[in-house]
Amino acid sequence: MRRHKTAWLLGVLLIACASPAFAQRYIDLGPPFVELQSLQAPALGERTGEAARAALVAQFAAGRYEEAVGTAQDLLAQAREQFGDSDTAIVPTLQDLAVCQHHAEDYRGAVRSYEQALELLASGPNSRDPRLAQPLYGLGVAQFAARDYAGAVDNLQRAVFVTRVNDGLNSLNQLRYYDALTEAHLALGSYNEAVARQKARIAVVQQATDVDSAETTAAIEQAARLYRRIDHFFEERDMRRREVSRIAKSRGYDDISLVPKLRELAATYRLGYAPDYIAVGDLERALDILDKHPEADTLDERVAVLVELGDLFLTFNESPRALRYYKQAYKLLDKAGNQARIQALFSEPVPVFVPRPDAVAGVGEQPAAGLPQGYVLLEYDLGSTGKPRDVKTLELEPASASIMRPRAERALRAARIRPVIGPEGPQNGKDLLYQLNFNYVAGES
């Protein structure tokens, strides 16, 4: 896609179109587009007493991965000469080679090396050898990189199983594989399985620590963010509401740690287009809590709450109230001399709600993120009300998905976008850009 000098790009798939109307009805957002996150390839494991491996470690640390592959292959040949082809003593060297191949983007080579290591370990007397877990994980991550998402799910699940068998059902060691397994489920469109994995994380962490521990809070937050990522806003709202109640019960109704929780809770109403003044009440409660903690440095959080209030009212067609909150946030930051935060929040238009265009056969209706990705690049103007106007398509990829063009344009017209805010208030914008991504079935779009 060619570069444009005007404004910003933001990728979102859209799948249900309707005109927002405050407190009148809910909008079914439909199945989401999920942009996959890359999985981090394993690093070389630390081993002592192997001077011959020093060159490999140095090459890997310097990012000379193709050289490292060659060195790892030499070391493997030496290991095979010393121990033979069927001795598990060569497994660590096979894993070294696989790691280097993955980092060199030779994913097929990495898969073969991991499979050889696993075959050797599986030939031993212990079918649940704890040494299986790490190469299973590496294999799953390499398969994910090669877009074999089903294979990745299978082997990452096996890594979890082996760890649970050897370390216990509630071992924290299994959690090291959860993020990769969740991502692989998302790639297959298996959203329920991805959510179940994050709920399992919460259960394991609670069992190992406490229901009110920092680790439990982090696990719940991670699960809530997964719900948001797959557009399950009602489920996210329910989880966040229960988390707010739990924290208030254990730490107090006015505990300052509730502020970001209340802000994220309110955002679920906006993002899921669920018009309800309960969300306003949550944000007002957050401001009250901040008022009761004058000893704390609360500027950043106060600004975030004010901006969320603005975004909420903008979404539901109350732009005068929205602008009032934006201006309050701007003035607070300006008074504090925090120009960097002003730039981050108010220097470019920010989408606060975009409905999804209707799915059509072969385009947009598939939940699996592993499908080919297309996009519509749209140009529009924006006034102080946050309503895009003069929307037109600049680019469409693939060209055969022409049916997405009118749907995308209607969706953007129904969107609400936070305008640029300056010292005097909102500023009009012209020739702004918005990129709308979608999945499609190859040959059917």
Side-chain angles (χ1 to χ4, degrees):
M1 183 182 68
R2 69 173 184 266
R3 295 180 62 87
H4 295 265
K5 63 181 181 180
T6 20
W8 48 283
L9 297 174
L10 180 65
V12 190
L13 170 73
L14 315 167
I15 307 186
C17 182
S19 298
F22 186 77
Q24 291 182 4
R25 60 172 169 161
Y26 291 75
I27 291 179
D28 179 9
L29 297 182
F33 167 83
V34 175
E35 185 173 355
L36 292 181
Q37 298 173 357
S38 298
L39 301 184
Q40 185 173 0
L44 288 176
E46 293 185 6
R47 300 207 299 273
T48 58
E50 296 188 22
R53 194 167 173 261
L56 173 67
V57 173
Q59 290 167 345
F60 187 88
R64 303 197 306 272
Y65 300 126
E66 292 185 0
E67 290 181 41
V69 168
T71 303
Q73 289 171 332
D74 291 341
L75 292 173
L76 178 60
Q78 295 170 22
R80 281 178 164 151
E81 184 175 346
Q82 179 180 357
F83 300 107
D85 288 340
S86 58
D87 196 310
T88 57
I90 71 172
V91 166
T93 312
L94 272 169
Q95 288 185 240
D96 280 351
L97 174 58
V99 168
C100 294
Q101 288 170 320
H102 189 145
H103 282 268
E105 299 182 359
D106 178 10
Y107 305 129
R108 291 184 179 180
V111 167
R112 287 194 299 270
S113 297
Y114 279 124
E115 287 176 339
Q116 290 175 38
L118 288 165
E119 185 178 351
L120 288 174
L121 291 173
S123 66
N126 183 4
S127 62
R128 299 176 179 179
D129 190 327
R131 292 178 297 173
L132 287 165
Q134 190 56 34
L136 281 169
Y137 171 71
L139 174 57
V141 173
Q143 288 172 316
F144 184 93
R147 299 188 177 185
D148 176 9
Y149 301 123
V153 166
D154 181 57
N155 286 300
L156 291 168
Q157 285 178 331
R158 289 174 62 197
V160 171
F161 172 76
V162 169
T163 304
R164 286 164 64 93
V165 166
N166 287 283
D167 298 344
L169 294 179
N170 294 310
S171 168
L172 293 175
N173 289 334
Q174 64 186 288
L175 301 184
R176 69 184 70 174
Y177 310 124
Y178 274 35
D179 287 344
L181 182 52
T182 297
E183 203 67 26
H185 279 308
L186 291 178
L188 288 176
S190 304
Y191 298 151
N192 290 337
E193 288 81 356
V195 169
R197 186 58 54 184
Q198 293 305 312
K199 287 184 175 179
R201 183 202 298 271
I202 296 172
V204 169
V205 170
Q206 286 181 334
Q207 185 72 22
T209 58
D210 182 73
V211 294
D212 195 39
S213 68
E215 292 82 1
T216 294
T217 299
I220 291 173
E221 177 64 24
Q222 190 160 349
R225 291 193 176 279
L226 174 63
Y227 274 133
R228 181 172 300 189
R229 190 175 169 200
I230 61 176
D231 289 6
H232 287 194
F233 299 114
F234 178 85
E235 291 84 351
E236 180 193 355
R237 187 177 312 131
D238 180 63
M239 176 171 279
R240 290 193 182 279
R241 183 71 68 190
R242 285 187 281 112
E243 177 71 349
V244 165
S245 297
R246 182 187 67 80
I247 293 175
K249 183 177 180 179
S250 63
R251 306 179 199 174
Y253 184 83
D254 296 325
D255 188 84
I256 198 167
S257 68
L258 286 168
V259 173
K261 307 296 182 184
L262 289 165
R263 175 168 50 78
E264 295 292 354
L265 172 59
T268 66
Y269 290 87
R270 165 176 58 84
L271 295 168
Y273 202 87
D276 198 322
Y277 276 105
I278 290 176
V280 178
D282 290 330
L283 293 171
E284 289 176 341
R285 175 182 171 187
L287 291 175
D288 288 341
I289 292 173
L290 292 172
D291 288 339
K292 293 176 181 178
H293 290 272
E295 76 288 353
D297 182 7
T298 61
L299 175 64
D300 284 349
E301 198 56 64
R302 184 178 296 275
V303 165
V305 173
L306 290 171
V307 170
E308 183 56 51
L309 272 164
D311 291 346
L312 191 70
F313 283 116
L314 190 73
T315 296
F316 301 125
N317 286 334
E318 295 197 24
S319 56
R321 295 183 70 177
L323 295 175
R324 186 162 69 245
Y325 286 112
Y326 293 151
K327 289 177 181 178
Q328 287 182 36
Y330 187 100
K331 288 178 180 178
L332 285 175
L333 292 171
D334 191 46
K335 183 178 179 180
N338 194 338
Q339 294 301 313
R341 190 79 188 279
I342 288 176
Q343 281 289 111
L345 289 171
F346 300 126
S347 66
E348 293 183 344
V350 177
V352 299
F353 172 76
V354 185
R356 302 180 184 280
D358 298 324
V360 294
V363 183
E365 88 285 8
Q366 296 292 329
L371 292 174
Q373 180 178 311
Y375 68 86
V376 182
L377 182 64
L378 302 157
E379 184 180 78
Y380 69 99
D381 295 341
L382 186 68
S384 62
T385 63
K387 299 178 182 179
R389 57 177 183 264
D390 297 330
V391 175
K392 61 182 179 181
T393 296
L394 296 183
E395 295 180 10
L396 173 66
E397 179 65 35
S400 58
S402 59
I403 198 167
M404 290 300 288
R405 174 175 178 166
R407 286 166 169 76
E409 291 179 355
R410 285 198 299 269
L412 187 56
R413 290 189 193 100
R416 295 297 175 264
I417 297 178
R418 185 196 312 155
V420 171
I421 305 294
E424 305 303 322
Q427 301 174 3
N428 294 334
K430 282 190 65 65
D431 301 332
L432 304 173
L433 302 179
Y434 186 91
Q435 181 169 313
L436 186 152
N437 296 331
F438 58 87
N439 290 326
Y440 64 95
V441 180
E444 297 184 21
S445 60

mmCIF file with all atom_site columns, all heavy atoms in Angstrom, residues 247-260:
data_model
loop_
_atom_site.group_PDB
_atom_site.id
_atom_site.type_symbol
_atom_site.label_atom_id
_atom_site.label_alt_id
_atom_site.label_comp_id
_atom_site.label_asym_id
_atom_site.label_entity_id
_atom_site.label_seq_id
_atom_site.pdbx_PDB_ins_code
_atom_site.Cartn_x
_atom_site.Cartn_y
_atom_site.Cartn_z
_atom_site.occupancy
_atom_site.B_iso_or_equiv
_atom_site.pdbx_formal_charge
_atom_site.auth_seq_id
_atom_site.auth_comp_id
_atom_site.auth_asym_id
_atom_site.auth_atom_id
_atom_site.pdbx_PDB_model_num
ATOM 1   N N   . ILE A 1 247 ? -12.744 -5.710  44.244 1.00 0.00 ? 247 ILE A N   1
ATOM 2   C CA  . ILE A 1 247 ? -11.742 -4.785  44.775 1.00 0.00 ? 247 ILE A CA  1
ATOM 3   C C   . ILE A 1 247 ? -12.368 -3.870  45.818 1.00 0.00 ? 247 ILE A C   1
ATOM 4   O O   . ILE A 1 247 ? -11.774 -3.598  46.875 1.00 0.00 ? 247 ILE A O   1
ATOM 5   C CB  . ILE A 1 247 ? -11.107 -3.975  43.630 1.00 0.00 ? 247 ILE A CB  1
ATOM 6   C CG1 . ILE A 1 247 ? -10.285 -4.898  42.727 1.00 0.00 ? 247 ILE A CG1 1
ATOM 7   C CG2 . ILE A 1 247 ? -10.222 -2.852  44.185 1.00 0.00 ? 247 ILE A CG2 1
ATOM 8   C CD1 . ILE A 1 247 ? -9.722  -4.216  41.493 1.00 0.00 ? 247 ILE A CD1 1
ATOM 9   N N   . ALA A 1 248 ? -13.573 -3.370  45.538 1.00 0.00 ? 248 ALA A N   1
ATOM 10  C CA  . ALA A 1 248 ? -14.246 -2.480  46.492 1.00 0.00 ? 248 ALA A CA  1
ATOM 11  C C   . ALA A 1 248 ? -14.517 -3.194  47.809 1.00 0.00 ? 248 ALA A C   1
ATOM 12  O O   . ALA A 1 248 ? -14.395 -2.602  48.896 1.00 0.00 ? 248 ALA A O   1
ATOM 13  C CB  . ALA A 1 248 ? -15.547 -1.962  45.886 1.00 0.00 ? 248 ALA A CB  1
ATOM 14  N N   . LYS A 1 249 ? -14.870 -4.451  47.731 1.00 0.00 ? 249 LYS A N   1
ATOM 15  C CA  . LYS A 1 249 ? -15.167 -5.220  48.947 1.00 0.00 ? 249 LYS A CA  1
ATOM 16  C C   . LYS A 1 249 ? -13.915 -5.462  49.776 1.00 0.00 ? 249 LYS A C   1
ATOM 17  O O   . LYS A 1 249 ? -13.945 -5.398  51.006 1.00 0.00 ? 249 LYS A O   1
ATOM 18  C CB  . LYS A 1 249 ? -15.810 -6.555  48.563 1.00 0.00 ? 249 LYS A CB  1
ATOM 19  C CG  . LYS A 1 249 ? -16.231 -7.392  49.764 1.00 0.00 ? 249 LYS A CG  1
ATOM 20  C CD  . LYS A 1 249 ? -16.931 -8.662  49.312 1.00 0.00 ? 249 LYS A CD  1
ATOM 21  C CE  . LYS A 1 249 ? -17.356 -9.504  50.524 1.00 0.00 ? 249 LYS A CE  1
ATOM 22  N NZ  . LYS A 1 249 ? -18.055 -10.748 50.089 1.00 0.00 ? 249 LYS A NZ  1
ATOM 23  N N   . SER A 1 250 ? -12.788 -5.739  49.091 1.00 0.00 ? 250 SER A N   1
ATOM 24  C CA  . SER A 1 250 ? -11.566 -6.087  49.819 1.00 0.00 ? 250 SER A CA  1
ATOM 25  C C   . SER A 1 250 ? -10.722 -4.873  50.201 1.00 0.00 ? 250 SER A C   1
ATOM 26  O O   . SER A 1 250 ? -10.024 -4.891  51.222 1.00 0.00 ? 250 SER A O   1
ATOM 27  C CB  . SER A 1 250 ? -10.718 -7.051  48.985 1.00 0.00 ? 250 SER A CB  1
ATOM 28  O OG  . SER A 1 250 ? -10.292 -6.428  47.781 1.00 0.00 ? 250 SER A OG  1
ATOM 29  N N   . ARG A 1 251 ? -10.802 -3.786  49.413 1.00 0.00 ? 251 ARG A N   1
ATOM 30  C CA  . ARG A 1 251 ? -9.921  -2.648  49.670 1.00 0.00 ? 251 ARG A CA  1
ATOM 31  C C   . ARG A 1 251 ? -10.669 -1.360  50.001 1.00 0.00 ? 251 ARG A C   1
ATOM 32  O O   . ARG A 1 251 ? -10.046 -0.374  50.405 1.00 0.00 ? 251 ARG A O   1
ATOM 33  C CB  . ARG A 1 251 ? -9.034  -2.395  48.440 1.00 0.00 ? 251 ARG A CB  1
ATOM 34  C CG  . ARG A 1 251 ? -8.254  -3.610  47.990 1.00 0.00 ? 251 ARG A CG  1
ATOM 35  C CD  . ARG A 1 251 ? -7.422  -3.293  46.767 1.00 0.00 ? 251 ARG A CD  1
ATOM 36  N NE  . ARG A 1 251 ? -7.014  -4.500  46.058 1.00 0.00 ? 251 ARG A NE  1
ATOM 37  C CZ  . ARG A 1 251 ? -6.383  -4.517  44.898 1.00 0.00 ? 251 ARG A CZ  1
ATOM 38  N NH1 . ARG A 1 251 ? -6.055  -3.364  44.308 1.00 0.00 ? 251 ARG A NH1 1
ATOM 39  N NH2 . ARG A 1 251 ? -6.063  -5.655  44.320 1.00 0.00 ? 251 ARG A NH2 1
ATOM 40  N N   . GLY A 1 252 ? -11.971 -1.353  49.783 1.00 0.00 ? 252 GLY A N   1
ATOM 41  C CA  . GLY A 1 252 ? -12.748 -0.157  50.093 1.00 0.00 ? 252 GLY A CA  1
ATOM 42  C C   . GLY A 1 252 ? -13.372 0.461   48.854 1.00 0.00 ? 252 GLY A C   1
ATOM 43  O O   . GLY A 1 252 ? -12.803 0.392   47.758 1.00 0.00 ? 252 GLY A O   1
ATOM 44  N N   . TYR A 1 253 ? -14.524 1.080   49.037 1.00 0.00 ? 253 TYR A N   1
ATOM 45  C CA  . TYR A 1 253 ? -15.300 1.635   47.934 1.00 0.00 ? 253 TYR A CA  1
ATOM 46  C C   . TYR A 1 253 ? -14.541 2.747   47.210 1.00 0.00 ? 253 TYR A C   1
ATOM 47  O O   . TYR A 1 253 ? -14.738 2.959   46.018 1.00 0.00 ? 253 TYR A O   1
ATOM 48  C CB  . TYR A 1 253 ? -16.622 2.178   48.473 1.00 0.00 ? 253 TYR A CB  1
ATOM 49  C CG  . TYR A 1 253 ? -17.563 2.688   47.424 1.00 0.00 ? 253 TYR A CG  1
ATOM 50  C CD1 . TYR A 1 253 ? -18.406 1.818   46.727 1.00 0.00 ? 253 TYR A CD1 1
ATOM 51  C CD2 . TYR A 1 253 ? -17.622 4.055   47.113 1.00 0.00 ? 253 TYR A CD2 1
ATOM 52  C CE1 . TYR A 1 253 ? -19.267 2.287   45.748 1.00 0.00 ? 253 TYR A CE1 1
ATOM 53  C CE2 . TYR A 1 253 ? -18.488 4.531   46.131 1.00 0.00 ? 253 TYR A CE2 1
ATOM 54  C CZ  . TYR A 1 253 ? -19.306 3.650   45.462 1.00 0.00 ? 253 TYR A CZ  1
ATOM 55  O OH  . TYR A 1 253 ? -20.167 4.119   44.498 1.00 0.00 ? 253 TYR A OH  1
ATOM 56  N N   . ASP A 1 254 ? -13.684 3.459   47.933 1.00 0.00 ? 254 ASP A N   1
ATOM 57  C CA  . ASP A 1 254 ? -12.974 4.596   47.352 1.00 0.00 ? 254 ASP A CA  1
ATOM 58  C C   . ASP A 1 254 ? -11.494 4.315   47.114 1.00 0.00 ? 254 ASP A C   1
ATOM 59  O O   . ASP A 1 254 ? -10.684 5.246   47.015 1.00 0.00 ? 254 ASP A O   1
ATOM 60  C CB  . ASP A 1 254 ? -13.112 5.821   48.263 1.00 0.00 ? 254 ASP A CB  1
ATOM 61  C CG  . ASP A 1 254 ? -14.543 6.292   48.376 1.00 0.00 ? 254 ASP A CG  1
ATOM 62  O OD1 . ASP A 1 254 ? -15.279 6.183   47.376 1.00 0.00 ? 254 ASP A OD1 1
ATOM 63  O OD2 . ASP A 1 254 ? -14.936 6.752   49.463 1.00 0.00 ? 254 ASP A OD2 1
ATOM 64  N N   . ASP A 1 255 ? -11.133 3.039   47.019 1.00 0.00 ? 255 ASP A N   1
ATOM 65  C CA  . ASP A 1 255 ? -9.730  2.709   46.782 1.00 0.00 ? 255 ASP A CA  1
ATOM 66  C C   . ASP A 1 255 ? -9.302  3.243   45.418 1.00 0.00 ? 255 ASP A C   1
ATOM 67  O O   . ASP A 1 255 ? -10.009 3.067   44.407 1.00 0.00 ? 255 ASP A O   1
ATOM 68  C CB  . ASP A 1 255 ? -9.529  1.191   46.839 1.00 0.00 ? 255 ASP A CB  1
ATOM 69  C CG  . ASP A 1 255 ? -8.058  0.824   46.799 1.00 0.00 ? 255 ASP A CG  1
ATOM 70  O OD1 . ASP A 1 255 ? -7.416  0.827   47.855 1.00 0.00 ? 255 ASP A OD1 1
ATOM 71  O OD2 . ASP A 1 255 ? -7.548  0.544   45.691 1.00 0.00 ? 255 ASP A OD2 1
ATOM 72  N N   . ILE A 1 256 ? -8.144  3.854   45.365 1.00 0.00 ? 256 ILE A N   1
ATOM 73  C CA  . ILE A 1 256 ? -7.717  4.533   44.143 1.00 0.00 ? 256 ILE A CA  1
ATOM 74  C C   . ILE A 1 256 ? -7.420  3.557   43.003 1.00 0.00 ? 256 ILE A C   1
ATOM 75  O O   . ILE A 1 256 ? -7.475  3.931   41.823 1.00 0.00 ? 256 ILE A O   1
ATOM 76  C CB  . ILE A 1 256 ? -6.491  5.430   44.429 1.00 0.00 ? 256 ILE A CB  1
ATOM 77  C CG1 . ILE A 1 256 ? -6.321  6.450   43.298 1.00 0.00 ? 256 ILE A CG1 1
ATOM 78  C CG2 . ILE A 1 256 ? -5.242  4.600   44.649 1.00 0.00 ? 256 ILE A CG2 1
ATOM 79  C CD1 . ILE A 1 256 ? -5.365  7.564   43.632 1.00 0.00 ? 256 ILE A CD1 1
ATOM 80  N N   . SER A 1 257 ? -7.147  2.299   43.336 1.00 0.00 ? 257 SER A N   1
ATOM 81  C CA  . SER A 1 257 ? -6.894  1.319   42.281 1.00 0.00 ? 257 SER A CA  1
ATOM 82  C C   . SER A 1 257 ? -8.142  1.037   41.449 1.00 0.00 ? 257 SER A C   1
ATOM 83  O O   . SER A 1 257 ? -8.058  0.434   40.371 1.00 0.00 ? 257 SER A O   1
ATOM 84  C CB  . SER A 1 257 ? -6.378  0.005   42.879 1.00 0.00 ? 257 SER A CB  1
ATOM 85  O OG  . SER A 1 257 ? -7.385  -0.639  43.639 1.00 0.00 ? 257 SER A OG  1
ATOM 86  N N   . LEU A 1 258 ? -9.302  1.491   41.917 1.00 0.00 ? 258 LEU A N   1
ATOM 87  C CA  . LEU A 1 258 ? -10.545 1.294   41.170 1.00 0.00 ? 258 LEU A CA  1
ATOM 88  C C   . LEU A 1 258 ? -10.661 2.223   39.961 1.00 0.00 ? 258 LEU A C   1
ATOM 89  O O   . LEU A 1 258 ? -11.430 1.937   39.037 1.00 0.00 ? 258 LEU A O   1
ATOM 90  C CB  . LEU A 1 258 ? -11.753 1.517   42.090 1.00 0.00 ? 258 LEU A CB  1
ATOM 91  C CG  . LEU A 1 258 ? -12.053 0.417   43.103 1.00 0.00 ? 258 LEU A CG  1
ATOM 92  C CD1 . LEU A 1 258 ? -13.066 0.910   44.131 1.00 0.00 ? 258 LEU A CD1 1
ATOM 93  C CD2 . LEU A 1 258 ? -12.572 -0.829  42.398 1.00 0.00 ? 258 LEU A CD2 1
ATOM 94  N N   . VAL A 1 259 ? -9.943  3.316   39.966 1.00 0.00 ? 259 VAL A N   1
ATOM 95  C CA  . VAL A 1 259 ? -10.127 4.336   38.923 1.00 0.00 ? 259 VAL A CA  1
ATOM 96  C C   . VAL A 1 259 ? -9.896  3.771   37.514 1.00 0.00 ? 259 VAL A C   1
ATOM 97  O O   . VAL A 1 259 ? -10.770 3.894   36.643 1.00 0.00 ? 259 VAL A O   1
ATOM 98  C CB  . VAL A 1 259 ? -9.247  5.566   39.193 1.00 0.00 ? 259 VAL A CB  1
ATOM 99  C CG1 . VAL A 1 259 ? -9.323  6.541   38.016 1.00 0.00 ? 259 VAL A CG1 1
ATOM 100 C CG2 . VAL A 1 259 ? -9.693  6.248   40.475 1.00 0.00 ? 259 VAL A CG2 1
ATOM 101 N N   . PRO A 1 260 ? -8.745  3.156   37.233 1.00 0.00 ? 260 PRO A N   1
ATOM 102 C CA  . PRO A 1 260 ? -8.578  2.618   35.876 1.00 0.00 ? 260 PRO A CA  1
ATOM 103 C C   . PRO A 1 260 ? -9.561  1.495   35.567 1.00 0.00 ? 260 PRO A C   1
ATOM 104 O O   . PRO A 1 260 ? -9.956  1.319   34.404 1.00 0.00 ? 260 PRO A O   1
ATOM 105 C CB  . PRO A 1 260 ? -7.127  2.117   35.867 1.00 0.00 ? 260 PRO A CB  1
ATOM 106 C CG  . PRO A 1 260 ? -6.755  1.961   37.301 1.00 0.00 ? 260 PRO A CG  1
ATOM 107 C CD  . PRO A 1 260 ? -7.525  2.979   38.043 1.00 0.00 ? 260 PRO A CD  1
#
